[in-house]
């Protein structure tokens, strides 16, 4: 608790300058009179909700009874082929583009939807995003099988089209103890973050309370910002035919344009880690082995700090090596740097300079998933998910052996909006390019078909693929539905997004094993890496072109109806207030006057139209002439054809 | 007599009007026809310039940054391909290898696509192909096949939902300097697009093997892109090609790589021009007279004229350009417009006779091609999948044998790049 006072020397505060403040009496002593804290007193028995204040997170969580929640804002796509798909970093932090939100509630099932709705509204306000669109039941779903073990109290929703920008980052930064003013978060320079290829800000909340009056109830808030940045000397692809191209060197200041000026004062620990992944370490070891004569044992003792491949500008405080108990393959290395000893005058600026070109590839998820659309036209189409084995999966002793058969378990979770009417019975399965019966491959499937304008279609599948299979493909046919005119999003002509499908491999664990160390337990990120979590990957967002109406149509309809109504009422009023005798009298008097030839002509024409007898009889066509004219016409057409043929044929 | 008059009087005026019209049907039809023809002739006068809000689209903000490096690389590619022509036997497979090598050097994902040409590819009543269409009559054409080379650049910051297709027809056997040059342009554009970071959409470059016509390879690729064969039975792309002795050849997959939904497609071609200026021809009509979104044509036209200083030539009937009566009609309209302008200077009806003639020729050509219903280029294949596509044909003053001239021409790639940039932004 803290009370602050401030001194004001402005005219409004000093009674028009009569009671000036003399700073020579400093230091000042403040006395408070009639001091009263507008507090909220809570008895053990009464409801906590009356002390609710919306600007505190913990109150939100308590109010909405959130057990666990994760919210992510992502821009760009995670490229699993280039940036890896197996390590905890990509499994935990790669998210689908746009907004993804899931939450587990600690309420009875009948109330979950109500709490979810309230939560989306609150988050929408807090993060300046359109998360409130997740309120409608057409946008969220309740996965049970594949996403997370849950008992009907989990809700999951995504907004693939949400554009992420600084106004979403600022509220996120506000939750940090020092915002972006000090410590590690000083690096979060907006332009450099948004210049990157991919950024994803994630917020995860876990509440460990089991009852409202439990003493050890607590809320854990975990914030992660994942950014893939481009070194300033970066160039896409290889430079022309220059194969000996050294990968770009980088430093924190060159990437972010800022340094780390020491730690945030109230931070418990503040560390920077540099992770060399498996492929790179393996590649480096090979290089070491080649040059083993003079750099024997450097790896064991110093962990690459003084190797001939690269140079790190700051000496690491700690070096962690991943321990692979199963087989002695190359494992990753993490360098830990503590920021605590750095300050404004001597900022922390980590840099890595490459000396020789090294080519390595990241560890891939066992199967590379991609999803695409099939078919054309505005009526129907098909969604296809194709899984292709990656090279890295072959050497992994990963698959479960059940009943003497080697099987690979793959979970697929796919949400489809209601206007894409998926026919789940059309599910076709191909393994290794051979059509297979569904029962052979699909272990468990849970389908909740979409209801028009009520709920999206959800498909959850647990697959058991044979181990050696090189590829698997699934296709589902769908019809495209129609929307009401005000249900179309802005820029509907671009198409409609189908959220990413989630592919997980529960039999693979994306975790790192480090040799036991006390330091590890103090570091949240490393202990996070050690947690067992399945390998996840998200597929691309699909864009489906739907039929869109002409959006000016309603206005045209309104205009036309209004015109018709105006005409109708006008004529009706005219009829109602017309006096018949008067009109005839006027007409007669007008006829008495001499009419000009134009009016005579007009009256004659009108007489003709009215069907009164007229002077000249209507000239009826003599029928004998028709055949002659027909012949003439045919001749004309024929001659045109001949000339055409002659000149241009 | 009195009774008939009464009955006549009771007829409703609309019926009487109809009777009147019917009785003068010849006169009325002649009047309608002349009015129609007159309206058609008047159309070029009434045509307005399309307005493109620059602020909304920023079509020209993607400035051309084509450097000499790209041009020299493109030149190298052209030279290598031209050298192949001296040896026509192995030219087909080797040219694919060379193109694929250049593509993957740029960091693009490359794959080959093998197809059997469908000889009777055009169906007049075939408006949109459904997902199950495109079943080929295979046995007759088993032995014939062509190979398309496809390269994909993933937009670095995009989400990969959409793609823009760049097509260059290329015949490895018979293709002359003209076709290699269009490859060169496409290559320089492609290499530039691999470097830029503002791309909002993926770029697919399809080098269509035009041995069996320009339409067939594009149509075959689109069909396989949209209706892939998952099972072994009916796919031919799984067969590995053993012809290539090149080591690189074996690395290229024959499976189709995909990007997102296609947003637009541009077909690039080069023609020998005999005019005084470098011109850009735009062809847009697809099968059954379907037209792409006219915004695409407008954007290309706008960028080409205002930003790149090219002379744009939309397809025209050349005989109309020289015909006397159109010219005299144009003069009549011009004088009429002037007269109208003296009455009220706000009425802007008059256009010059030359403009009129040009407009009339364009209009006539467009009418003719739409009525005929045969696509005017490979872009017609895209329309079946509701993808907006046009063909751009560059034509030049001088022949391409001189190297400096060719460099100059390749720098035009920068202009196309500007166009493409505009289109990606436009479709964002």
């Amino acid at each position: 608790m803290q009370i602050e006072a401030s001194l004001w020397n402005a005219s409004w505060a000093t009674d028009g300058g009569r009671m000036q403040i003399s700073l020579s009496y400093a230091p000042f002593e403040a006395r408070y009179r009639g001091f009263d804290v507008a507090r909220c007193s809570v008895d053990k028995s009464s409801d906590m909700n009356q002390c609710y204040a919306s600007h505190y997170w913990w109150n939100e969580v308590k109010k909405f009874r959130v057990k666990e929640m994760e919210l992510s804002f992502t821009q760009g796509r995670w490229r699993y082929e280039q940036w890896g798909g197996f390590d905890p970093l990509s499994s935990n932090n790669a998210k689908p583009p746009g907004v993804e939100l899931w939450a587990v509630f600690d309420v009875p099932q009948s109330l979950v939807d109500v709490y979810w709705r309230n939560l989306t509204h609150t988050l929408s306000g807090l993060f300046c995003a359109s998360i409130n669109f997740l309120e409608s039941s057409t946008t969220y779903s309740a996965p049970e099988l594949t996403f997370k073990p849950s008992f009907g109290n989990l809700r999951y929703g995504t907004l693939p089209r949400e554009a992420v920008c600084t106004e979403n980052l600022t509220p996120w930064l506000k939750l940090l103890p020092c915002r972006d003013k000090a410590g590690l978060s000083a690096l979060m320079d907006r332009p450099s973050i948004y210049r990157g290829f991919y950024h994803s800000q994630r917020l995860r909340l876990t509440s460990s309370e089991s009852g409202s009056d439990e003493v050890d109830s607590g809320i854990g808030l975990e914030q992660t910002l994942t950014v893939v940045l481009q070194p300033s000397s970066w160039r896409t692809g290889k430079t022309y035919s220059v194969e000996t191209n050294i990968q770009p060197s980088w430093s924190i200041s060159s990437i972010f344009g800022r340094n780390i000026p020491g730690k945030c004062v109230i931070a418990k620990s503040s560390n920077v880690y540099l992770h060399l992944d498996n492929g790179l370490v393996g590649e480096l070891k090979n290089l070491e082995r080649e040059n083993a004569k003079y750099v024997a044992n450097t790896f064991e003792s110093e962990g690459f700090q003084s190797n001939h491949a690269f140079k790190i500008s700051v000496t690491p405080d700690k070096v962690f090596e991943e321990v692979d108990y199963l087989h002695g393959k190359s494992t990753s290395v993490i360098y830990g740097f503590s920021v605590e000893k750095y300050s404004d005058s001597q900022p922390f600026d980590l840099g890595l300079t490459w000396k020789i070109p090294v080519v390595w590839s990241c560890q891939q998820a066992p199967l590379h998933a991609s999803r695409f659309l099939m078919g054309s036209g505005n009526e129907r189409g098909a969604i296809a998910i194709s899984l292709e084995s990656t090279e890295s999966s072959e050497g992994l002793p990963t698959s479960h052996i059940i009943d003497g058969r080697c099987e690979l378990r793959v979970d697929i979770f796919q949400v489809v909006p209601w206007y894409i009417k998926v026919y789940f019975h059309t599910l076709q399965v191909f393994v290794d390019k051979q059509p297979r019966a569904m029962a052979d491959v699909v272990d468990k499937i849970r389908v909740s078909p979409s209801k028009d304008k009520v709920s999206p279609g959800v498909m959850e599948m647990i697959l058991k693929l044979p181990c050696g299979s090189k590829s698997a493909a699934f296709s589902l046919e769908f019809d495209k539905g129609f929307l009401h005119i005000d249900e179309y999003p802005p820029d509907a002509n671009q198409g409609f997004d189908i959220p990413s499908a989630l592919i997980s491999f529960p039999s693979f664990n994306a975790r790192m094993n480090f040799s036991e160390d006390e330091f590890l337990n103090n570091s949240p990120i490393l202990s996070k890496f050690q947690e067992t979590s399945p390998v996840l990957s998200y597929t691309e967002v699909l864009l489906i072109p739907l039929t869109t109406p002409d959006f000016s149509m309603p206005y045209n309809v309104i205009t036309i109806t209004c015109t018709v109504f105006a005409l109708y009422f006008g004529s009706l009023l005219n009829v109602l207030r017309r006096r018949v005798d008067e009109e005839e009298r006027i007409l007669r008097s007008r006829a008495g006057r001499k009419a000009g030839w134009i009016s005579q002509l007009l009256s004659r024409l009108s007489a003709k139209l009215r069907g009164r007898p007229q002077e000249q009889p209507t000239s009826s066509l003599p029928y004998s002439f028709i055949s002659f004219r027909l012949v003439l016409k045919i001749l004309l057409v024929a001659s045109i054809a001949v000339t055409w043929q002659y000149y241009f044929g | 007599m009195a009774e008939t008059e009464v009955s006549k009087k009771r007829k409703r005026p609309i019926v009487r009007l109809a009777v009147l019209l019917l009785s003068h049907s010849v006169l009325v039809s002649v009047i309608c026809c002349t009015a129609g023809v007159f309206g058609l002739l008047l159309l070029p006068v009434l045509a307005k310039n399309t307005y493109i809000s620059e602020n909304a689209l920023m079509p020209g903000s993607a400035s051309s940054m084509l450097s000499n490096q790209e041009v020299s690389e493109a030149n190298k590619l052209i030279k290598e391909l031209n050298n192949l022509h001296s040896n026509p036997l192995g030219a087909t497979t080797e040219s694919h290898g060379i193109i694929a090598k250049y593509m993957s050097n740029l960091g693009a994902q490359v794959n080959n696509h093998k197809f059997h040409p469908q000889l009777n590819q055009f169906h007049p009543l075939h408006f949109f192909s459904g997902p199950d269409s495109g079943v080929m009559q295979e046995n007759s054409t088993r032995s014939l096949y062509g190979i398309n080379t496809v390269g994909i650049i993933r937009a670095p910051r995009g989400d990969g939902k959409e793609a823009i297709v760049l097509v260059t027809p290329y015949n490895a056997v018979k293709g002359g300097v003209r076709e290699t040059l269009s490859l060169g342009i496409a290559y320089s554009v492609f290499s530039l697009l691999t470097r830029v970071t503002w791309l909002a959409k993926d770029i697919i470059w399809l080098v269509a093997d035009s041995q069996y016509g320009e339409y067939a390879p594009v149509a075959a690729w689109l069909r396989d892109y949209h209706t892939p064969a998952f099972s072994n039975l009916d796919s031919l792309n799984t067969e590995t090609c053993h012809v290539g002795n090149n080591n690189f050849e074996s690395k290229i997959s024959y499976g189709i790589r995909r990007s997102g939904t296609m947003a637009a497609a541009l077909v690039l071609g080069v023609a020998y021009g005999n005019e005084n200026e470098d011109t850009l021809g735009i062809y847009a009509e697809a099968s059954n007279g379907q037209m792409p979104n006219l915004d695409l044509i407008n954007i290309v036209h706008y960028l080409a004229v205002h930003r790149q200083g090219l002379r744009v030539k939309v397809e025209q009937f050349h005989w109309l350009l020289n015909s006397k009566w159109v010219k005299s009609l144009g003069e009549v309209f011009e004088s009429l417009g002037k007269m109208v302008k003296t009455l009220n200077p706000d009425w802007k009806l008059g256009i010059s006779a030359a403009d009129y003639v040009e407009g009339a020729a364009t209009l006539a050509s467009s009418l003719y091609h739409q009525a005929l219903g045969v696509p005017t280029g490979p872009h017609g294949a895209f329309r079946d999948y509701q993808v907006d596509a046009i063909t751009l044909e560059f034509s030049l003053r001088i022949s391409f044998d001189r190297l400096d001239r060719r460099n100059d021409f390749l720098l035009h790639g920068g202009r196309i790049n500007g166009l493409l940039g505009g289109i990606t932004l436009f479709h964002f």
Side-chain angles (χ1 to χ4, degrees), chain A residues 229-292:
Chain A
L229 291 168
Q230 118 187 32
S232 45
S233 59
W234 176 85
R235 186 196 191 286
T236 335
K238 297 168 200 161
T239 327
Y240 305 105
S241 54
V242 187
E243 296 296 330
T244 54
N245 192 20
I246 294 186
Q247 53 273 29
S249 305
W250 54 266
S251 67
I252 286 183
S253 57
S254 76
I255 295 176
F256 290 98
R258 291 187 185 186
N259 290 321
I260 303 175
K263 72 168 203 169
C264 169
V265 185
I266 49 176
K268 223 178 187 178
S269 75
S270 187
N271 297 308
V272 173
Y273 296 98
L274 174 65
H275 181 207
L276 306 183
D277 69 357
N278 296 0
L280 176 57
V281 173
E283 206 54 50
L284 290 177
K285 270 187 184 169
N286 288 342
L287 287 173
E288 298 278 308
R289 219 166 286 143
E290 280 167 25
N291 310 331

Side-chain angles (χ1 to χ4, degrees), chain B residues 60-350:
Chain B
S61 62
S63 59
S64 68
M65 301 159 288
L66 208 60
S67 67
N68 282 323
Q69 200 187 8
E70 269 113 18
V71 171
S72 67
E73 278 297 311
N75 249 327
K76 242 164 81 184
L77 172 68
I78 291 174
K79 231 179 266 169
E80 268 190 61
L81 289 174
N82 279 342
N83 289 341
L84 282 181
H85 288 305
S86 52
N87 169 31
L89 279 173
T92 331
T93 48
E94 264 182 56
S95 67
H96 295 304
I98 289 170
I99 295 167
K101 190 180 79 192
Y102 271 83
M103 278 184 185
S104 63
N105 274 352
L106 289 177
Q109 297 178 327
V110 188
N111 71 298
N112 280 346
H113 167 244
K114 200 171 178 182
F115 67 97
H116 293 304
Q118 246 181 316
L119 295 174
N120 51 346
Q121 85 282 48
F122 180 67
H123 305 287
L125 293 175
H126 180 103
F127 280 93
F128 303 110
S129 43
D132 51 344
S133 78
V135 183
M136 304 183 285
Q137 306 92 349
E138 281 176 44
N139 296 328
S140 57
T141 56
R142 251 303 175 200
S143 54
L144 298 172
Y145 68 87
I147 296 174
N148 294 331
T149 312
V150 186
I152 300 178
I153 313 173
R154 311 274 174 192
R157 285 178 213 162
D159 44 12
K161 288 191 290 195
E162 285 178 291
I164 286 182
V165 189
L166 198 65
V167 182
T168 44
Y170 175 65
N171 189 344
V173 182
K174 279 175 272 175
V177 190
R178 199 168 59 87
E179 285 195 330
T180 45
L181 206 56
S182 72
L183 271 187
I185 293 184
Y187 175 80
S188 54
V189 171
F190 199 66
S191 67
L192 178 55
L193 289 175
T194 50
R195 280 196 297 123
V196 296
T197 47
W198 43 256
L199 270 188
K201 293 176 170 63
D202 296 353
I203 304 284
I204 305 178
W205 178 22
L206 169 68
V207 179
D209 188 354
S210 58
Q211 288 179 67
Y212 308 102
E214 292 190 344
Y215 187 91
V218 181
W221 178 73
L222 279 171
R223 192 171 54 236
D224 286 348
Y225 189 96
H226 285 103
T227 56
F230 288 122
S231 65
N232 239 341
L233 306 171
D234 50 353
S235 78
L236 60 140
N237 278 319
T238 48
E239 306 164 16
T240 43
C241 183
H242 298 294
V243 191
N245 46 5
N246 198 338
N247 194 22
F248 187 77
E249 181 92 4
S250 56
K251 274 191 257 173
I252 305 163
S253 74
Y254 273 80
I256 282 201
R257 279 182 185 275
R258 284 187 175 72
S259 182
T261 313
M262 290 178 205
L266 288 182
V267 184
L268 296 182
V270 174
Y272 288 115
N274 44 6
E275 284 158 60
N276 302 327
E277 275 176 294
D278 296 354
T279 53
L280 171 70
I282 300 177
Y283 298 88
E285 290 87 3
S287 59
N288 286 313
Q290 296 179 80
M291 294 287 280
N293 189 348
L294 294 184
D295 285 343
L296 186 63
I297 302 173
N298 285 340
I299 287 274
V300 167
H301 187 273
Y302 177 86
L303 289 173
V305 172
H306 295 276
R307 297 300 167 109
Q308 319 293 348
L310 282 171
R311 193 169 153 267
V312 171
K313 185 186 67 176
V314 183
E315 213 181 344
Q316 285 172 340
F317 273 163
H318 291 284
W319 53 270
L320 262 182
L321 284 178
N322 304 322
S323 77
K324 289 245 167 60
W325 66 274
V326 179
K327 215 170 270 175
S328 54
L329 201 68
E331 276 154 16
V332 169
F333 278 123
E334 191 181 357
S335 52
L336 262 178
K338 273 178 191 158
M339 203 181 75
V340 164
K341 214 164 197 179
T342 53
L343 290 177
N344 188 343
D346 286 343
W347 293 347
K348 283 169 189 153
L349 272 181

